Amino acid sequence: MDVATSGRSDKELMLLVQQGVAGAFEPIFVRHRVGAMSLAFRICHNRAQAEDYVQEGFISAWRGRARYDPERGAVRSWVLMHVRSRAIDALRHERSRNGQNCSDESIAELASGMDTAVGTIRLDAQQALHLELTKLPVEQRRVIELAFWGDRTHNEIAAMLCLPAGTVKGRMRLGLKKLRRVDIERAVA
């Protein structure tokens, strides 16, 4: 992240993106990639596909940067709309190609997964949690990410990182203890 873009709000960053300032889109990606991944995964239930949809959604947002209007909503909502659209379009295409029902109702049912308000709150909480994760020492953050987002066991993490299982458990315990002190509700508000 560039010094000129660090600490700026999403709206300020989008104005810089629209003005062509190099590096202004990167902090937007960093801030919203976890929420975007959560949304895409909730739609397709496949990590690799979700990563593709997130990438395509951010590319779409980049290409459509001139159309972002701060009066119409938050940058996060705008970016997530691009990710959601890419994921649903891909699902429609895939279902159509496989001869499955690809009506708007069936796709909407598949994509909804949960009530929109609950999903938005969950994404906000995940963003706040991600921000707090970035404040942890890298050793603690890495084991927590591998366990929760990578769906790995303590032993698998230990093997991946060439560490004793006890060290992995200790780092995770310390990291989670620090995260428990964070008032996520206050961070989201």
Side-chain angles (χ1 to χ4, degrees):
M1 247 183 274
D2 187 356
V3 174
T5 60
S6 66
R8 293 187 182 254
S9 72
D10 284 351
K11 285 183 181 182
E12 291 172 325
L13 288 169
M14 275 307 295
L15 290 174
L16 293 174
V17 167
Q18 290 173 329
Q19 294 168 8
V21 174
F25 196 70
E26 181 185 357
I28 290 172
F29 173 77
V30 170
R31 289 177 190 172
H32 302 294
R33 67 179 178 216
V34 172
M37 185 64 184
S38 175
L39 175 64
F41 186 80
R42 198 172 75 228
I43 292 171
C44 69
H45 305 288
N46 178 303
R47 184 171 180 79
Q49 284 180 325
E51 288 172 354
D52 289 344
Y53 301 154
V54 168
Q55 181 179 359
E56 291 170 14
F58 274 96
I59 290 170
S60 174
W62 169 255
R63 288 180 179 152
R65 64 191 177 272
R67 291 186 303 273
Y68 172 72
D69 179 1
E71 298 301 316
R72 295 184 66 201
V75 172
R76 179 185 58 78
S77 300
W78 183 73
V79 166
L80 293 179
M81 181 268 308
H82 281 278
V83 171
R84 182 180 182 277
S85 294
R86 292 296 172 205
I88 290 174
D89 287 348
L91 282 177
R92 273 195 189 110
H93 178 73
E94 182 181 322
R95 283 184 158 207
S96 176
R97 190 181 50 185
N98 294 334
Q100 296 175 316
N101 180 9
C102 60
S103 68
D104 288 342
E105 294 82 20
S106 68
I107 295 293
E109 182 181 319
L110 180 64
S112 67
M114 65 179 64
D115 177 68
T116 303
V118 173
T120 301
I121 292 168
R122 187 174 180 189
L123 290 173
D124 286 342
Q126 286 176 343
Q127 271 187 307
L129 178 60
H130 178 71
L131 178 64
E132 293 306 319
L133 272 170
T134 62
K135 296 176 184 177
L136 290 177
V138 70
E139 299 85 14
Q140 294 170 10
R141 181 175 63 239
R142 182 78 178 130
V143 296
I144 290 171
E145 288 173 342
L146 286 170
F148 291 97
W149 284 283
D151 205 22
R152 305 263 198 264
T153 66
H154 290 112
N155 290 334
E156 289 171 333
I157 296 168
M160 285 175 69
L161 301 178
C162 301
L163 295 169
T167 301
V168 169
K169 290 177 184 178
R171 289 178 180 177
M172 188 170 301
R173 188 173 31 256
L174 287 171
L176 291 174
K177 186 176 180 181
K178 291 174 185 175
L179 289 176
R180 282 189 192 107
R181 293 185 199 146
V182 176
D183 183 358
I184 296 296
E185 289 178 11
R186 187 171 45 92
V188 170

